[in-house]
Amino acid sequence: MNKDQIFEQRRKDLQELEDNAAQKQHLKGKLTARERINVLFDEGTFFEFDAFVSPSQTPASSRKNNFGDGVVVGSGKVQGRSVFAYAQDFTVLGGSLGFAHGTKIAKVQEMALKLGAPIVGLMDSGGARIQEGVKSLSAYATIFRNNVQSSGIIPQISAILGPAAGGAVYSPALTDFIFMTNQTSYMFVTGPDVVKEVLNEEVDMEGLGGGNIHASKSGVAHFVSDDEEHTIMLIRKLLSYIPSNNYEALPLSNQTSFYKSRQEYLNKIIPDDSNRPYDMKEIINIVVDKDTFFEVHERWAQNIVVGFARLNGKSIGIVANQPKVMAGTLDINASIKGARFVRFCDAFNIPLLILEDVPGFLPGIEQEHNGIIRNGAKLLYAFCEATVPKITVITRKAYGGAYIVMSSKNTGGDFNFAWPTAEIAVMGPAGAIKIVNKHELSKAENKAELEKELTEKYKNDVANPYKAEEFGLIDEVIVPSRTREILITAFEILSNKQYHKPARKHGSIPL
Ligand code: HXC
């Protein structure tokens, strides 16, 4: 064959591989690597390279069956912005990560970092290629190191669209967001067979590490959906809120409509009985631009709500206590979830809005023994460390340590607002009167009556927002229906916030 014929033949071989991949993947209800890439990128913008890289140990005669070595890499546009991606092809050697495969991924990671563009990994792989032994492991190590070196500089997103087993799970785990699909993807360090052998526990793949489990129990997955196309569309949506790198300005939207007629409802959304729940997400959706709230970790640690939204067209990150779930208390998982989100937003200069209604940290033996102290400290650390504009609105309870943690003034909150319904104090009335009025209560003839009276008095005299306003710890008590308007102004004032931290290698967050 002359050179022209070789050129033509290679393209034919590649097409044959793709047709073969389509046949196999479609049978399993899955897309091929290139089809996934096409869903991710704006039409016709993907530029693939290294398509003919071959496995290092394959004889020349069978190379054409393995062109690309099981991974498609390249760059394209998502909503007009540059993004790099790699997509593993399970139909070539089980998408297993051989040295050439790993080198391709490392190359695209390094390009993304150099060019300040997000990177998306679409994973579907049997893990380290067994035949290539330690070379395969070394390629993994390079990928992990690149993940860490890119952290906080470019957004890194992983979608698990098939198996991710063993050490292979750690590249996604090092990235900022993990997406999974129900029934067709799973992640675990050791599979069901090993679990059975070592622990005699019976579990299937879905039950051990499927999308549902990781989205609701382990918190490993930030997003889960029922089909691949939807999963990949969600990645596009996520990218629309975040900058391409830690120096780039936030993407702006010219859609700034909001639920104007619902603003007044905020004046009566807080129930008269302060122990009754309400849905914090309702407040979020009324305050931010219409239908822009994009929740992260929706099904895990639901006592705290985190996610992106737009306010007057600008991206913000929201961290909010959820009174509807466990009364909005902070437990271990909520602290970890909140801390992780705050640190992502801070790394990428996304301003933070904190909506607060928190009665305190969750008490109990289980929480204490599992380290609520160590884990609660993560959220405290994250808020204290964050230098992006931070605005807190206290809607109701803000008690004790939890008040401090949720971006209170002296942790570095730039603006701290409260609704008139706010209850800011060292502890709630029930606990406080038992300590402060112990003697009176022990002597009281009608204890219940006195308790009611003292509670009312405590609420009026102590647990209100006005004391904090007098001390300048609340910048202003605001009318709830004006929240959106005030937040827009306040974020505008803070838009030029500059903060230079003293030099240090890095802090020592209590991990
Ligand atoms: C080489 C592999 C492979 C691997 C799959 N294949 N995994 N080849 N190395 N790791 C090949 C198979 O031989 C087969 O080739 C083809 O891919 C499809 O695999 P099947 O087994 O037929 O597919 P399926 O029944 O869907 O099962 C998928 C699977 C299973 C569950 C992923 O293949 C499997 O258990 N693979 C091994 C998973 C694993 O233990 N990996 C190592 C994890 S440890 P043919 O030629 O028949 O089509 C790890 C360490 C990373 O990754 C460390 C990083 C620090």
Side-chain angles (χ1 to χ4, degrees):
M1 277 200 278
N2 65 32
K3 284 183 188 166
D4 285 348
Q5 286 168 326
I6 295 175
F7 183 88
E8 285 308 320
Q9 187 58 45
R10 285 185 160 224
R11 264 132 197 95
K12 272 192 202 148
D13 291 341
L14 204 60
Q15 189 54 51
E16 233 172 72
L17 261 184
E18 183 58 22
D19 295 343
N20 178 36
Q23 238 179 19
K24 287 187 178 162
Q25 289 286 90
H26 293 176
L27 264 181
K28 295 186 198 164
K30 291 161 82 175
L31 299 175
T32 68
R34 288 191 180 80
E35 285 168 342
R36 288 167 178 163
I37 287 276
N38 286 338
V39 178
L40 176 65
F41 287 104
D42 300 347
E43 205 180 332
T45 64
F46 184 64
F47 177 74
E48 181 179 350
F49 46 87
D50 285 351
F52 295 99
V53 164
S54 302
S56 41
Q57 295 183 346
T58 316
S61 58
S62 62
R63 257 183 216 153
K64 69 170 200 172
N65 299 327
N66 303 316
F67 273 152
D69 201 21
V71 63
V72 176
V73 304
S75 171
K77 304 273 182 196
V78 174
Q79 286 121 13
R81 297 192 300 155
S82 263
V83 171
F84 283 79
Y86 64 91
Q88 293 177 311
D89 181 352
F90 191 80
T91 63
V92 174
L93 303 164
S96 61
L97 194 136
F99 189 73
H101 178 129
T103 305
K104 279 177 74 172
I105 295 178
K107 182 168 165 181
V108 83
Q109 284 181 308
E110 284 153 25
M111 286 184 83
L113 179 60
K114 206 161 36 182
L115 299 167
I119 181 159
V120 178
L122 304 171
M123 296 173 205
D124 192 353
S125 162
R129 186 168 304 154
I130 296 161
Q131 300 88 319
E132 294 195 26
V134 71
K135 275 187 90 178
S136 153
L137 299 182
S138 75
Y140 261 122
T142 307
I143 293 167
F144 297 165
R145 185 160 173 265
N146 282 344
N147 283 135
V148 174
Q149 295 200 329
S150 299
S151 180
I153 301 175
I154 51 169
Q156 302 180 84
I157 295 167
S158 307
I160 315 299
L161 304 170
V169 297
Y170 285 109
S171 176
L174 291 167
T175 62
D176 299 306
F177 297 100
I178 297 181
F179 291 71
M180 290 185 78
T181 47
N182 268 324
Q183 307 297 333
T184 51
S185 73
Y186 47 87
M187 294 177 81
F188 37 68
V189 171
T190 48
D193 293 347
V194 178
V195 171
K196 168 82 182 150
E197 204 176 298
V198 178
L199 297 161
N200 203 25
E201 289 172 357
E202 297 266 4
V203 66
D204 61 12
M205 302 235 234
E206 192 63 27
L208 185 64
N212 262 327
I213 292 295
H214 285 312
S216 61
K217 278 206 154 173
S218 70
V220 165
H222 300 79
F223 301 91
V224 64
S225 54
D226 286 332
D227 66 83
E228 289 188 14
E229 225 160 301
H230 186 237
T231 302
I232 299 171
M233 291 310 281
L234 285 179
I235 298 177
R236 286 177 60 88
K237 186 168 179 182
L238 172 64
L239 286 166
S240 75
Y241 289 89
I242 61 183
S244 296
N245 58 62
N246 62 334
Y247 280 101
E248 195 192 79
L250 293 174
L252 278 180
S253 164
N254 51 15
Q255 296 290 329
T256 56
S257 56
F258 65 104
Y259 289 105
K260 200 168 179 181
S261 61
R262 296 187 69 200
Q263 302 301 306
E264 284 296 317
Y265 172 60
L266 294 179
N267 295 332
K268 43 182 194 246
I269 195 166
I270 306 293
D272 290 337
D273 175 354
S274 76
N275 289 326
R276 274 194 45 208
Y278 61 93
D279 187 358
M280 189 62 99
K281 287 191 210 172
E282 246 195 301
I283 297 184
I284 295 173
N285 283 313
I286 293 173
V287 167
V288 303
D289 296 352
K290 205 181 245 179
D291 304 332
T292 63
F293 181 52
F294 183 50
E295 192 170 355
V296 175
H297 264 148
E298 185 178 351
R299 291 173 50 198
W300 182 58
Q302 292 173 319
N303 41 332
I304 200 163
V305 174
V306 303
F308 301 101
R310 294 198 183 86
L311 192 62
N312 211 24
K314 293 175 188 155
S315 289
I316 55 169
I318 296 177
V319 182
N321 308 115
Q322 173 57 290
K324 231 176 77 164
V325 180
M326 293 159 61
T329 47
L330 287 174
D331 65 349
I332 291 171
N333 286 348
S335 303
I336 295 170
K337 171 173 159 179
R340 176 107 194 251
F341 185 73
V342 167
R343 296 193 96 220
F344 177 84
C345 289
D346 189 46
F348 290 99
N349 307 308
I350 301 168
L352 284 165
L353 168 62
I354 298 97
L355 294 170
E356 179 170 354
D357 185 347
V358 60
F361 281 99
L362 183 67
I365 297 168
E366 192 259 344
Q367 287 289 306
E368 295 292 353
H369 288 192
N370 286 303
I372 183 66
I373 298 173
R374 181 167 47 82
N375 290 290
K378 290 176 184 161
L379 185 57
L380 177 58
Y381 191 105
F383 273 126
C384 289
E385 174 191 47
T387 58
V388 279
K390 290 177 286 188
I391 302 180
T392 301
V393 178
I394 300 175
T395 56
R396 190 169 62 179
K397 294 171 189 170
Y399 285 123
Y403 151 78
I404 300 172
V405 168
M406 293 298 291
S407 195
S408 59
K409 185 56 95 189
N410 287 25
T411 62
D414 293 297
F415 281 118
N416 295 69
F417 300 114
W419 286 3
T421 41
E423 304 167 21
I424 307 171
V426 171
M427 63 176 80
I433 60 167
K434 282 195 184 84
I435 296 168
V436 179
N437 307 99
K438 189 171 155 186
H439 300 300
E440 277 166 273
L441 281 167
S442 67
K443 287 182 223 147
E445 276 175 26
N446 189 340
K447 199 172 160 196
E449 185 65 26
L450 182 62
E451 260 179 11
K452 208 171 146 204
E453 229 174 79
L454 290 169
T455 299
E456 229 17 64
K457 189 168 160 44
Y458 181 84
K459 277 191 182 170
N460 288 329
D461 297 352
V462 184
N464 65 52
Y466 301 108
K467 280 266 183 300
E469 194 181 34
E470 284 168 22
F471 293 130
L473 295 170
I474 288 297
D475 297 291
E476 199 184 342
V477 177
I478 61 174
V479 178
S481 55
R482 290 193 59 221
T483 303
R484 175 182 164 87
E485 176 195 333
I486 289 170
L487 287 176
I488 290 173
T489 307
F491 275 122
E492 184 59 37
I493 293 169
L494 297 172
S495 62
N496 282 332
K497 184 177 175 189
Q498 301 280 329
Y499 186 87
H500 299 288
K501 296 179 184 177
R504 65 175 164 187
K505 196 167 174 190
H506 55 70
S508 176
I509 186 168
L511 290 172

